[in-house]
Amino acid sequence: MSDLLREATARLAAAGVDNPRLDARVLWEAVGGDAERFESFIARRAAREPVAYITGWKEFWSLSFAVAPGILIPRPDTETIIDAVLADYPDRSAPLNILDLGTGSGCILAALLSEYPNAHGLGIDSSEIAQNVAAGNLERLGLGARGAVRAGNWAEKLDTAFDIVVSNPPYIPTADIADLEPDVRDFEPSAALDGGPDGLDAVRILAPELKKLGGVGYIEIGVGQDEAAAAIFTKAGLAVLRVARDLGGVPRIVIVRAKKELE
Ligand SMILES: C[S@@+](CC[C@H](N)C(=O)[O-])C[C@H]1O[C@@H](n2cnc3c(N)ncnc32)[C@H](O)[C@@H]1O
């Protein structure tokens, strides 16, 4: 086994994989001792397919999410949204009504529903595969009765009021996509990555929708987008309450409120 691991690690390192030893170990654990399957997993990883697509799972907020090609792999930075909501709503028994726009794997909605046992939520995504995978994740995590998933173009056609609107929209400027690691660029869905010329196309759509929906919005942004995003939200008539930083200190979540008089 250690020879297999050593060889696999060397192969992944030669392919330019960032953490070859860790990835080889994770893939070894995933195959349950099946050397043939391990060989096929290592070949896929050496072709830069992300570990999460190979194993079919990714952890987020200490919960396990099924992922598949066509679904963005949940990122630790996005946990900043959960931290920010928990800080703002310390009463865990609050019957919050939560909307998650661009729900993907459903990770944000599921994490919030797991923290607020009396909360309900709706996840929306334009991708059919995301709708299916998110609904499956909520169900498997025992949250299906409180979390629904629907097809939709952001909040178009929604007229319900929500207490909290969360979103991790695509925010990578189109021209930067070619420079991403092949693991991301060649495998993750462009609809989950491409934010248009300056990365803020989705923010421009979401801003008036948040204004219409009410509640407090928690919107993830890319590196260096905080001031431009805040300006778009302000122009749309929202109050920017604060910007939460991720664990690396990067301004990551813009927190906005639709009704200034509630500040
Ligand atoms: C960056 S991913 C976030 C996924 C998940 N919320 C997460 O944080 O891991 C953005 C998601 O927005 C979805 N999306 C893109 N355009 C959309 C649109 N017009 N309406 C609804 N969802 C959209 C994508 O399919 C993708 O699932």
Side-chain angles (χ1 to χ4, degrees):
M1 180 271 222
S2 59
D3 278 354
L4 269 182
L5 264 182
R6 224 185 343 266
E7 279 166 31
T9 302
R11 215 165 132 196
L12 296 186
V17 167
D18 260 353
N19 296 300
R21 197 176 149 73
L22 175 68
D23 286 6
R25 280 202 162 276
V26 170
L27 293 174
W28 176 253
E29 274 160 30
V31 298
D34 180 338
E36 206 172 310
R37 198 147 169 252
F38 185 56
E39 160 57 31
S40 107
F41 277 15
I42 291 298
R44 287 167 67 182
R45 186 67 189 115
R48 303 299 293 268
E49 183 172 349
V51 169
Y53 288 156
I54 301 172
T55 62
W57 296 97
K58 181 71 186 179
E59 192 169 301
F60 179 87
W61 201 254
S62 300
L63 302 169
S64 271
F65 290 87
V67 292
I71 301 285
L72 188 94
I73 299 166
R75 304 292 205 274
D77 289 341
T78 303
E79 294 183 340
T80 313
I81 292 187
I82 318 300
D83 282 322
V85 173
L86 289 174
D88 291 349
Y89 296 84
D91 176 7
R92 301 295 180 92
S93 65
L96 298 170
N97 195 13
I98 301 165
L99 174 65
D100 179 13
L101 295 173
T103 198
S105 61
C107 61
I108 306 173
L109 180 59
L112 288 173
L113 293 179
S114 78
E115 294 291 346
Y116 295 96
N118 296 320
H120 284 75
L122 173 64
I124 289 190
D125 207 290
S126 54
S127 143
E128 197 175 322
I129 176 155
Q131 293 149 33
N132 292 334
V133 169
N137 278 327
L138 286 163
E139 198 59 46
R140 206 172 22 75
L141 291 165
L143 302 166
R146 293 191 288 122
V149 179
R150 249 196 249 158
N153 179 27
W154 300 125
E156 201 179 76
K157 297 189 183 141
L158 272 186
D159 49 14
T160 330
F162 290 89
D163 300 305
I164 291 175
V165 182
V166 290
S167 185
N168 172 19
Y171 54 64
I172 299 176
T174 308
D176 294 356
I177 295 206
D179 298 328
L180 295 175
E181 287 292 317
D183 317 44
V184 178
R185 182 193 63 214
D186 299 341
F187 290 92
E188 297 205 73
S190 72
L193 302 174
D194 192 343
D198 64 353
L200 292 165
D201 277 5
V203 168
R204 288 190 188 86
I205 297 170
L206 290 171
E209 293 191 339
L210 290 166
K211 174 79 182 159
K212 177 188 82 181
L213 289 168
V216 179
Y218 296 78
I219 312 301
E220 182 167 333
I221 50 163
V223 175
Q225 293 177 344
D226 50 322
E227 284 181 15
I232 293 167
F233 287 127
T234 305
K235 198 169 166 211
L238 294 148
V240 175
L241 301 182
R242 69 180 201 281
V243 179
R245 289 173 185 264
D246 65 24
L247 290 177
V250 174
R252 185 59 70 184
I253 313 296
V254 184
I255 302 164
V256 298
R257 181 172 257 170
K259 293 181 185 150
K260 287 187 171 165
E261 64 269 24
L262 294 181
E263 270 178 76

